[in-house]
Amino acid sequence: MSTSILVLFSVLVNVVFFILHFCVWRFKKNNSPKLGLLLLIFLITYVIFCFSFFVFFNMSIDKHFWLTAPTSFCIFILYLHFYIGMLKSVSLRIMSEIIARNEMNIDISELKKIYSFEKMVEPRLNLLVTNKWLRVKNNKYYCTKLSKNIAFINLLFHKIFRLNITG
């Protein structure tokens, strides 16, 4: 069995996991990442694929496991970093707040009502402006074209997983 087939196996396990994750999150109320449930869904997916792979290809566990387990778990961990980052990012939340408003801007007084400003928002706003993710005009913050796209994608994932805006 070639290494590329085993790596493809790991990718397929994670694609099916993502689809199951999507389906489970669509049908349950969800206000947190529920990492234990995500791990359980991943492990069940991996085990089912392993058993079916052993049956169809008549391969021994020791030859299969040492490549697919680390590869599958590595892809899963990368996905978790993406998922938690998308869920908890203060920067993405600020950009989402901006594009969620009709006028597509927000001023500091509104941000102070929502967040702990000095500890959480002010340093993040300065970083976002410095890195050209946000623009400041007349004391109001606006998303740049790139940050609008990223914020829209973030909001799309929030809708897919039925998550409240967090950060």
Side-chain angles (χ1 to χ4, degrees):
M1 188 74 35
S2 75
T3 304
S4 60
I5 289 176
L6 296 175
V7 171
L8 186 61
F9 170 89
S10 297
V11 170
L12 186 60
V13 164
N14 279 277
V15 167
V16 171
F17 159 74
F18 174 76
I19 292 167
L20 288 173
H21 177 202
F22 169 77
C23 291
V24 168
W25 260 238
R26 291 302 299 161
F27 297 112
K28 68 186 265 331
K29 290 200 174 190
N30 185 10
N31 291 328
S32 69
K34 307 257 191 286
L35 297 179
L37 182 57
L38 283 175
L39 180 61
L40 181 65
I41 293 169
F42 174 77
L43 289 174
I44 290 170
T45 305
Y46 179 76
V47 168
I48 289 171
F49 266 78
C50 282
F51 282 130
S52 61
F53 198 77
F54 299 144
V55 169
F56 288 117
F57 293 106
N58 196 20
M59 183 168 216
S60 66
I61 292 175
D62 60 333
K63 291 180 182 176
H64 179 274
F65 180 76
W66 294 109
L67 183 61
T68 62
T71 308
S72 297
F73 278 89
C74 181
I75 295 169
F76 172 69
I77 290 169
L78 289 173
Y79 174 74
L80 282 183
H81 281 287
F82 162 75
Y83 180 71
I84 299 301
M86 178 262 317
L87 182 65
K88 298 290 184 185
S89 171
V90 174
S91 299
L92 288 172
R93 183 166 178 187
I94 290 170
M95 290 186 289
S96 297
E97 291 281 348
I98 291 171
I99 65 168
R101 299 174 185 278
N102 291 335
E103 56 277 347
M104 297 279 249
N105 66 55
I106 194 166
D107 58 22
I108 293 175
S109 63
E110 291 177 75
L111 282 171
K112 285 181 180 179
K113 291 177 192 173
I114 302 170
Y115 305 106
S116 166
F117 192 75
E118 288 78 24
K119 292 180 182 176
M120 186 169 81
V121 176
E122 189 174 36
R124 187 61 57 162
L125 284 172
N126 293 337
L127 182 65
L128 288 169
V129 169
T130 301
N131 291 329
K132 295 183 177 37
W133 290 91
L134 294 179
R135 291 178 289 126
V136 181
K137 188 176 180 182
N138 297 330
N139 229 7
K140 292 186 179 184
Y141 290 88
Y142 297 85
C143 287
T144 62
K145 188 174 184 175
L146 178 62
S147 68
K148 276 184 188 177
N149 293 335
I150 290 172
F152 279 126
I153 291 168
N154 184 51
L155 289 174
L156 173 69
F157 277 107
H158 277 257
K159 285 183 182 184
I160 287 173
F161 295 118
R162 293 181 63 198
L163 298 170
N164 294 332
I165 293 195
T166 60

